[in-house]
Amino acid sequence: MNLKNSLIVLLVFVIAFTACKPDDPTFIPVPDRDRTEQQVVDRDSLIGYMETHYYNSAALSTGGTNYTIDDIVITELPQDENGNYLELPNPDDNTLLIDAVTTYTRTYFDVEYEYYVLEINEGGGDTNPNFTDLVELVYSGNTLDEEVFDSAINPNNPFDMVNLIEGWRNVIPKFKTAASFEINPDGTVEYSDYGIGVMFLPSGLAYFANPPFGIDVYSNLIFKFELYRAQANDHDQDGVMSHLEDLNGNMDIDDDDTDGDELPNFFDVDDDGDGVFTIFEDLDEDGDPTNDDSDNDGIPNYLDADSTESNQDN
């Protein structure tokens, strides 16, 4: 195609694009797919992937704990000339993913999703992160076609799990942090016996219809990760850790709003709307407002607008 023809094609494309804008009455947006229906498609796709891919299990079970995400090698089964999958090669060294993962379920947007976790090492630390914590880890993310779309190799920049996709908030708390760490003379940190694994997520627990650039809509995703450290978060600095502000225990802190002011408790400095900041309702000053109940009605003062006492003088 010569330059003149290329310019004509480009002009036609520009006209077609600008002639149908989102604010144009003729623009018809494509509706999101039904989550229940898409979950079925995603489940079949993920199971099909795990039935036809294996990992180097023997190399990751030699008794050590400090494997890295680069040590985890996932490979597609060999195929014959007709595209039919052959048997697992070297079964003493390799394991089909479908035979190694643990299946979990999570109800999200009223849909029950299945997601899958390959545990390489649970982690030897004392802490399982909460779903609202800051976590230090490294990871690599790819689609089912093996294309790596994201990674992070600097564990010193913590991630706030509140800002991560739903799948991460469910998987990471199943692992423990590192048992120990050592600071090297050059300032780098070496972690030992940390959590390491792989998560296989349906699109509904990932980006669904709104992925970032480089990922197709409704993409199932795979993440390898190494979990090093975690720190409990108190987003509104009110003395109540954010995971404790999930009052209904559904792992969704956006729907807990005691005073009905459309500001969720984890971001509300006055949870019960009584005019006294939550942090000042810690009457015994032990740093925990959740154990102060002046009128003994079973509701702590910071959630009880009609509590008989408050530390209003502070």
Side-chain angles (χ1 to χ4, degrees):
M1 181 181 292
N2 59 35
L3 179 60
K4 179 179 179 181
N5 288 337
S6 298
L7 291 174
I8 292 173
V9 171
L10 178 60
L11 179 61
V12 171
F13 173 79
V14 171
I15 293 173
F17 182 79
T18 56
C20 189
K21 305 188 295 297
D23 58 353
D24 193 310
T26 62
F27 179 80
I28 303 176
V30 178
D32 288 354
R33 295 176 185 172
D34 179 88
R35 277 186 171 266
T36 300
E37 296 175 359
Q38 185 62 37
Q39 187 276 334
V40 174
V41 174
D42 289 349
R43 179 181 179 276
D44 290 346
S45 178
L46 284 168
I47 290 178
Y49 178 91
M50 293 186 294
E51 287 177 340
T52 57
H53 288 71
Y54 61 92
Y55 81 107
N56 54 331
S57 53
L60 299 170
S61 58
T62 58
T65 58
N66 294 339
Y67 301 109
T68 71
I69 57 176
D70 292 332
D71 294 326
I72 306 171
V73 180
I74 296 176
T75 308
E76 188 174 12
L77 287 172
Q79 303 174 52
D80 63 21
E81 63 274 12
N82 296 317
N84 300 310
Y85 284 104
L86 303 176
E87 293 184 357
L88 175 72
N90 303 318
D92 290 337
D93 297 327
N94 303 307
T95 302
L96 278 176
L97 290 171
I98 195 66
D99 296 329
V101 298
T102 300
T103 301
Y104 296 94
T105 60
R106 163 67 168 152
T107 299
Y108 187 58
F109 282 100
D110 297 322
V111 176
E112 186 174 87
Y113 288 99
E114 282 189 6
Y115 62 98
Y116 313 91
V117 180
L118 175 63
E119 180 184 302
I120 304 301
N121 185 54
E122 179 187 12
D126 297 327
T127 303
N128 289 83
N130 299 298
F131 72 102
T132 58
D133 283 1
L134 292 170
V135 291
E136 296 178 16
L137 45 73
V138 299
Y139 73 91
S140 176
N142 62 272
T143 52
L144 297 193
D145 61 5
E146 315 302 335
E147 181 179 350
V148 175
F149 62 83
D150 193 16
S151 63
I153 60 174
N154 183 2
N156 297 320
N157 291 329
F159 294 91
D160 187 342
M161 288 212 288
V162 165
N163 298 325
L164 303 182
I165 57 177
E166 182 66 19
W168 276 64
R169 293 195 290 270
N170 286 267
V171 174
I172 296 301
K174 300 183 189 304
F175 288 76
K176 295 183 183 296
T177 54
S180 61
F181 65 91
E182 181 178 343
I183 302 177
N184 298 317
D186 62 359
T188 60
V189 181
E190 275 189 37
Y191 297 91
S192 196
D193 195 6
Y194 43 81
I196 178 172
V198 187
M199 64 179 87
F200 302 83
L201 304 178
S203 68
L205 297 181
Y207 297 108
F208 199 57
N210 298 290
F213 180 79
I215 305 176
D216 291 336
V217 293
Y218 310 114
S219 287
N220 300 322
L221 302 179
I222 301 172
F223 292 95
K224 302 175 183 178
F225 60 89
E226 302 166 27
L227 172 63
Y228 298 144
R229 292 197 284 189
Q231 178 181 338
N233 239 337
D234 180 5
H235 286 85
D236 54 7
Q237 299 295 303
D238 67 352
V240 182
M241 292 301 172
S242 293
H243 68 278
L244 298 177
E245 308 235 45
D246 176 29
L247 303 181
N248 56 16
N250 67 348
M251 292 186 65
D252 180 2
I253 53 175
D254 289 316
D255 66 357
D256 299 275
D257 180 12
T258 299
D259 56 9
D261 63 354
E262 299 186 357
L263 195 64
N265 287 1
F266 87 101
F267 230 62
D268 190 346
V269 296
D270 180 11
D271 290 330
D272 58 4
D274 65 353
V276 181
F277 284 179
T278 293
I279 198 168
F280 294 148
E281 304 215 52
D282 175 25
L283 302 186
D284 56 12
E285 299 183 349
D286 65 349
D288 181 11
T290 67
N291 60 11
D292 299 273
D293 180 13
S294 297
D295 54 11
N296 296 313
D297 62 354
I299 304 174
N301 289 355
Y302 84 101
L303 296 175
D304 190 357
D306 63 356
S307 55
T308 57
E309 294 180 31
S310 61
N311 201 7
Q312 300 185 45
D313 295 333
N314 285 351

